[in-house]
Amino acid sequence: MSTPARVLPGLAVLWLACLTSRLSAQADTTRHPAADTSKVVSLETITVVGRSDDLIGTAGTASEGRVGAVDLQSRPISREGELLETVPGMIVTQHSGEGKANQYFVRGFNLDHGTDFQTRVEGMPVNMASHAHGQGYTDLNFLIPELVEFLDYKLGVYHADVGDFGSAGAAEFHLVHRLARPFASGTIGENGLARLAAGGSIRVGRGDLLVAGEAKGYNGPWDRAEDIRKFSGVVHYSWESGASRFSILGMGYHNRWNSNDQIPLRAVEEGSITGLGQIDSTDGGNTQRYSLSGAWHHDGASSTQDVTLFGIYSDLSLYSDFTYFLDDPVHGDQFNQREHRVILGGNATHKQAMQALGVGHLLKIGAQTRADIINGLGLYHTERQQRIGTVRQDDVREWGSGVYAELESRWRPWFRSVLGGRADAYTFNVSSDLPVNSGHRSAAIVSPKASLVFTASPKAEFYLSGGFGFHSNDARGTTITVDPGTGAAVDRVNPLVRSRGAEFGLRLSPVAGLRTTMSVWGLNLDSELLFTGDGGTTEPSAASRRGGITFANFYRATSQLALDADISFARARFHGVDAGQGHIPGALENVVAAGLTWSPKARGLFGAVRLRHFGSYPLIEDNGVRAHATNLVSGEMGYLVKAGLRLRVEVLNLLNSSDDDIQYYYTSRLQGEPAGGVDDVHFHPVEPRQVRVSLVYGL
């Protein structure tokens, strides 16, 4: 019997147990006198606004939190993915065209496009397994920021409901179900920026129908215009029936763009291109994503249930060229990565408040499953976007399912524990154009988690957390035997890679409006084995160890003034390698994010200013070449004319910094250079200062 065949009956049994537990709890309430509720964990609905909320007594670790719409919308951003920069220590950059998934960094990880950070939107996974461009590919460009109600984040491997891609942490975007009034937002700016977003809700039948959309065009400051043409849409219908809430969510997104990839430093210094130029001016891409999901939430007397089912279609065609004429001196090294994908899956959760051993407990059990059906997963050699060769082409079927349980127990007013774990099983089926690289693999992994929480006072709480996590590897790497480019024999990779982490943290609320968290953490990975989409093969690396400190602060000084400052330090090293070769390229070592926001009570001036800093980091294993630090200051100012109508002016890169979004060090070859190429820094600069003006109604 295959692994999914063994897992699915277990999921059915688990859900049946959830329903039985609910019925039993209701029956017990009828037959027996009420228990002492002073010792039972409450399931009452709590309204959470954002970072200003006091999570002492409710949070399970020091490194989890929530950011509300007010905080998300009061910061100037240049791309949708930057909403994740509200997660302490997270940096979001870009090394290519803005239609492509961002580059993410957190806790000493260069996450590439999302390998070890799990991201969801309304229960739907965003990370793409076995993706054409990189494992865990996380494209958030389909989000309409005005529709994000709040963002939940969890750093570390200590949360039972976080599975694949969650070694560094996880975040989930929650969208509004209805709008109190229609909104419209129009923005114009330098470099051909034009954006229009609008939406509204109406009462239809027993529920609320929300419809919203966005259209955006942008050329960027580059010598070759990006020519972004992006369209996004959302239709959301939600209704209530007794103690149950239902919703159906449809989302659509289409984008095309010209890519301005990283460029070699030597070409700029020699004057052959400008700092905003390109070596290959034909790079670009197009993508689309459509999803349909349904959700059910039920509140019982002592329990809640949630079920989400989803279907997602996405495709991508991306043309890139990072090495120019190193591999093919005649036609160049441009390649095309292409895929068409359907994802089907669902999540189910049951929470049960109970009493045992004289204390209150909250039991949370759940199941998650997703199947990725990927056709035409290809890597092709191209010249000016014309195909001249096939490196490899595959069809992939990947299925992953997980079950988890978590028990929170309040043993004393000053002490509680959160004990949990999850079990995950995966199957990988690859049908390759090179038959020796076809095959079937399966794997399973168990990940225990635990947190001990000590409440010193209503204003101070301490946490000791630990756990195991994992990420899956690209399905093609699990069955590969021959390098499709060279024909050399290669080793298959482990389907699932183990991670282990621990954290000591504290949460303080010393004065009204001030929220402070600090965590000292460590994380080990058995191997950073990854499939390299640019080469069509796998590249094993050594085990790694990371550790660091994260210090996050938010202070609402008055109802109008809010300040925040997050500081993170990390140390990342390979383990078991030759002396002097232990640095992990691209691993950020220090990050500072800080800001000040002024909001009017009814009408008047508002504004915000933000600083983003990430320091120098290694570009090669011996630390002989390092990236220079990047500092960005952005701001906004506007006037709230009356409730719901505002004029806003954003200035991105206020100080006109010439720093870089990202830097790499590798070998490339320009025309006329030696056949072996030249080792050099390759960089993607931050965009120069630009001004954007918006007129917003309804928000």
Side-chain angles (χ1 to χ4, degrees), residues 232-352:
S232 301
V234 171
V235 178
H236 200 169
Y237 184 65
S238 57
W239 71 100
E240 295 185 3
S241 178
S244 294
R245 297 196 301 270
F246 302 86
S247 69
I248 299 174
L249 173 64
M251 305 182 75
Y253 162 70
H254 178 81
N255 200 353
R256 68 172 178 83
W257 66 94
N258 298 323
S259 294
N260 289 277
D261 291 323
Q262 67 260 23
I263 53 177
L265 179 61
R266 63 187 185 279
V268 177
E269 292 178 338
E270 293 167 358
S272 58
I273 61 171
T274 73
L276 300 174
Q278 279 293 293
I279 301 298
D280 190 332
S281 62
T282 66
D283 293 345
N286 61 81
T287 188
Q288 55 187 339
R289 179 191 188 275
Y290 302 94
S291 66
L292 180 65
S293 62
W296 169 66
H297 173 84
H298 179 81
D299 290 312
S302 61
S303 66
T304 64
Q305 293 80 36
D306 288 276
V307 176
T308 302
L309 301 175
F310 54 82
I312 304 169
Y313 170 81
S314 71
D315 62 42
L316 172 75
S317 181
L318 183 65
Y319 295 88
S320 307
D321 187 353
F322 302 136
T323 53
Y324 320 121
F325 295 93
L326 180 65
D327 298 323
D328 188 335
V330 177
H331 301 287
D333 297 348
Q334 188 186 71
F335 56 90
N336 173 221
Q337 295 161 310
R338 184 185 294 266
E339 69 158 61
H340 305 269
R341 173 189 306 255
V342 172
I343 303 174
L344 301 173
N347 315 305
T349 305
H350 174 85
K351 295 180 182 178
Q352 181 73 53

Side-chain angles (χ1 to χ4, degrees), residues 284 417 421 526 534 596 614 647 673 695:
S417 63
D526 283 353
D534 300 348
L596 180 152
F614 54 96
L647 177 68
E673 291 184 336
L695 184 63

Side-chain angles (χ1 to χ4, degrees), residues 49 51 109 127 149 200 270 342 528 601 623 646 669 672 677:
V49 176
R51 294 190 68 178
F109 278 91
N127 302 77
E149 185 174 19
E270 293 167 358
V342 172
E528 299 203 9
K601 291 182 178 180
N623 201 31
R646 66 184 66 204
R669 180 178 182 270

Side-chain angles (χ1 to χ4, degrees), residues 554-623:
F554 182 88
Y555 182 42
R556 190 167 295 283
T558 70
S559 60
Q560 296 176 270
L561 178 63
L563 304 94
D564 64 273
D566 299 338
I567 304 171
S568 299
F569 299 95
R571 183 182 187 274
R573 296 291 186 271
F574 285 122
H575 178 61
V577 298
D578 293 339
Q581 299 295 315
H583 287 76
I584 300 178
L588 298 189
E589 297 175 344
N590 60 82
V591 172
V592 177
L596 180 152
T597 303
W598 175 266
S599 304
K601 291 182 178 180
R603 63 178 60 193
L605 289 172
F606 65 88
V609 61
R610 297 207 60 81
L611 164 69
R612 184 184 74 168
H613 161 87
F614 54 96
S616 176
Y617 54 92
L619 295 179
I620 56 178
E621 288 81 355
D622 67 5
N623 201 31

Side-chain angles (χ1 to χ4, degrees), residues 118-165:
Q118 183 190 103
T119 307
R120 291 179 175 267
V121 173
E122 285 292 308
M124 293 181 289
V126 182
N127 302 77
M128 297 293 185
S130 304
H131 190 267
H133 188 65
Q135 179 70 340
Y137 187 84
T138 302
D139 184 359
L140 288 169
N141 288 297
F142 67 90
L143 280 177
I144 301 176
E146 289 88 346
L147 299 183
V148 178
E149 185 174 19
F150 60 91
L151 167 69
D152 283 327
Y153 65 86
K154 303 173 180 178
L155 293 172
V157 292
Y158 328 119
H159 307 90
D161 58 344
V162 178
D164 197 7
F165 306 119

Side-chain angles (χ1 to χ4, degrees), residues 369-423:
T369 188
R370 66 179 279 186
D372 289 70
I373 305 165
I374 315 166
N375 295 318
L377 182 54
L379 177 63
Y380 310 100
H381 186 193
T382 58
E383 181 180 13
R384 302 186 65 83
Q385 296 195 12
Q386 299 300 309
R387 191 178 299 177
I388 59 178
T390 298
V391 179
R392 73 177 296 172
Q393 182 172 296
D394 307 89
D395 291 333
V396 172
R397 306 292 183 264
E398 181 173 333
W399 192 353
S401 296
V403 293
Y404 64 89
E406 187 174 83
L407 181 66
E408 179 181 353
S409 304
R410 297 182 179 268
W411 302 103
R412 294 288 187 273
W414 53 269
F415 173 64
R416 55 193 166 98
S417 63
V418 184
L419 306 178
R422 62 180 294 127

